[in-house]
Structures are given as structure tokens and as C-alpha cells.
Amino acid sequence: MARPTIVLVHGAFADAASWAPVTRELLDRGHTVVVPPVYNRSLAEDAASIRAVAEHIEGPVVLAGHSYGGAVITVAGAAENVVGLVYVAGYVLDEGESLGQLQGGFPDSDLAENLVYTPYPIAGAEDGTDVSVKIDAFPAVFAGGLDLRVAEVLAVSQRPLSGAAFGEPASVAAWKTTPAWAIVSSEDHTINPDVERFGYTRAGIEDVTELPAPHLVMQTHPSEVADVIERAVAATGTA
């Protein structure tokens, strides 16, 4: 059996290090893992970047996306060698749907009132807008469940998301043709857990694991997250 390579896709306000405990767990279990950067500039650009990573891997690939990374793998997962999708406290967009539209159908999480908007330059165009989380709110809203000293470091090193990404529709929904697995973080204060549940149900995902975890479930429950990813790998290996 050819075992898929696992590509871990981080979300907004974080970077590849957010996956570190799960990365270590999967490596210890003998898996091949790639954890690329997501540039957080636009859904189309970010998905194209991750798709290129997947397409340069020889053999099958399982994409696992956290938070905004879920939207990214929804589009990037259209690559022919992607055989499985794993949503970790993630957004599952439909084709033609944006993050703003999906979130708009549910009560706001604590994130909504704790965002900071900062202009950034774009060559030859009007300035863009970076969205980040208020530093003093970050530990409770985004990094709940982590040691406060660790959360404070994450707060001052967060990777913003361009505001344009919130209104950009998904060009494709890979879950319509690719098997998917999912994790709900029931104590999430960044994404309303009902947004996660709705997306998973609409996508017809049957293997959904609900954990009493905060948004950074990969940090607080790495073994359980790795278990779900392993199930996806086991189910999608090819002869």
C-alpha cells in the first residue's frame, strides 16, 4: 500500500509551528509529513500555494487544515493526488461561498470584537488591510487552554490574515469529490463551534470527532488529532 503524505495547513493568526505537537506525533508514528507556510493573502492565492505543494509530492496526499486552513484545503484539495481532507476546527466552504457568508449565518464568536485592522502596502495598488487579534485578548480568545507564557509569545508573533480573504468565494469545494474527516472544538472561542458542525454536516462528513478543546486543539489534544489524521491516511492508502 502507498501511504499518503500528510500536509498540515495552518490557519490565520498562526503559522506552521501551531501544528508542532501533531507534527511530532505523526513523525513518531512513522508518517511522512510536510508543514508548509500559508501566506494569508487571499483564499485563491493561498489555495494555489498549497495545491502546488501537494502536486509536487510524488504519490497520494492527505491535506489537514486548521481554521482558515480548512477553507484553503477546500480549494487546494481539487489537486488530483489529494485523496483525503481533514478539517480541524475548520471552515468548510461550499463552492461560491466566502468565509464571511458562512460565519454570517451564526452568532459571532468572541473573536469578532477583538480584531485589529492594519493597512499594508500593495505594489501598484491601494493598500490592503491586515486583520489580527488584539494582543491582550489573544490568550483567551485564540490560545485558550495553553500556558499563559506560551500564549503571550503566540500573541506577539501571530501571522495576520488579509481582510480580502473574508469576502472571497471558494472557486471549488473539494469535499464534494474527496473523502473527508473532521474535528469540532467544542470550547472554541475563535470560530463558533456551530459553524464547524454546520460545515461538516453539509459536506456529509460521517467521521466527525468532537473534542472538549479550544481553538488550538492541535496544541492541547495532539494525540487525538493525530488519531483522526491517521484514520484518513489508513482509509485512503492505495495499492
Side-chain angles (χ1 to χ4, degrees):
M1 299 289 285
R3 191 159 65 169
T5 295
I6 300 165
V7 177
L8 303 176
V9 181
H10 70 81
F13 320 129
D15 58 23
S18 64
W19 279 103
V22 173
T23 304
R24 182 69 268 167
E25 185 82 21
L26 291 170
L27 290 173
D28 288 345
R29 299 184 189 188
H31 295 281
T32 302
V33 184
V34 177
V35 195
V38 180
Y39 302 109
N40 290 355
R41 295 297 83 186
S42 81
L43 179 57
E45 292 176 18
D46 294 335
S49 174
I50 296 302
R51 177 169 181 160
V53 169
E55 290 178 334
H56 279 88
I57 293 171
E58 185 175 349
V61 169
V62 166
L63 296 178
H66 173 248
S67 192
Y68 168 66
V72 173
I73 70 170
T74 294
V75 179
E80 288 188 7
N81 65 325
V82 173
V83 295
L85 307 169
V86 182
Y87 292 93
V88 180
Y91 291 106
V92 184
L93 299 180
D94 199 354
E95 184 174 346
E97 182 179 52
S98 69
L99 291 171
Q101 288 173 321
L102 176 57
Q103 289 190 139
F106 298 86
D108 286 339
S109 69
D110 294 340
L111 178 68
E113 60 185 22
N114 287 292
L115 294 174
V116 177
Y117 302 89
T118 308
Y120 69 89
I122 301 176
E126 294 183 8
D127 285 354
T129 300
D130 262 339
V131 183
S132 58
V133 184
K134 292 178 181 177
I135 290 176
D136 60 351
F138 189 99
V141 172
F142 193 83
L146 275 65
D147 180 274
L148 179 59
R149 289 171 58 83
V150 173
E152 288 174 340
V153 171
L154 297 179
V156 298
S157 57
Q158 59 184 290
R159 189 174 196 135
L161 176 66
S162 174
F166 288 95
E168 186 178 353
S171 59
V172 65
W175 49 263
K176 293 184 177 181
T177 55
T178 305
W181 290 254
I183 295 172
V184 175
S185 290
S186 64
E187 298 176 10
D188 201 329
H189 291 277
T190 298
I191 301 176
N192 182 333
D194 284 339
V195 174
E196 300 167 22
R197 296 182 186 106
F198 171 80
Y200 303 160
T201 299
R202 180 176 61 179
I205 302 175
E206 295 181 357
D207 189 331
V208 177
T209 300
E210 184 142 348
L211 297 173
H215 189 61
L216 286 177
V217 58
M218 317 92 70
Q219 295 273 330
T220 59
H221 294 69
S223 181
E224 293 90 334
V225 173
D227 287 345
V228 175
I229 295 172
E230 273 202 322
R231 290 204 296 274
V233 167
T236 56
T238 56

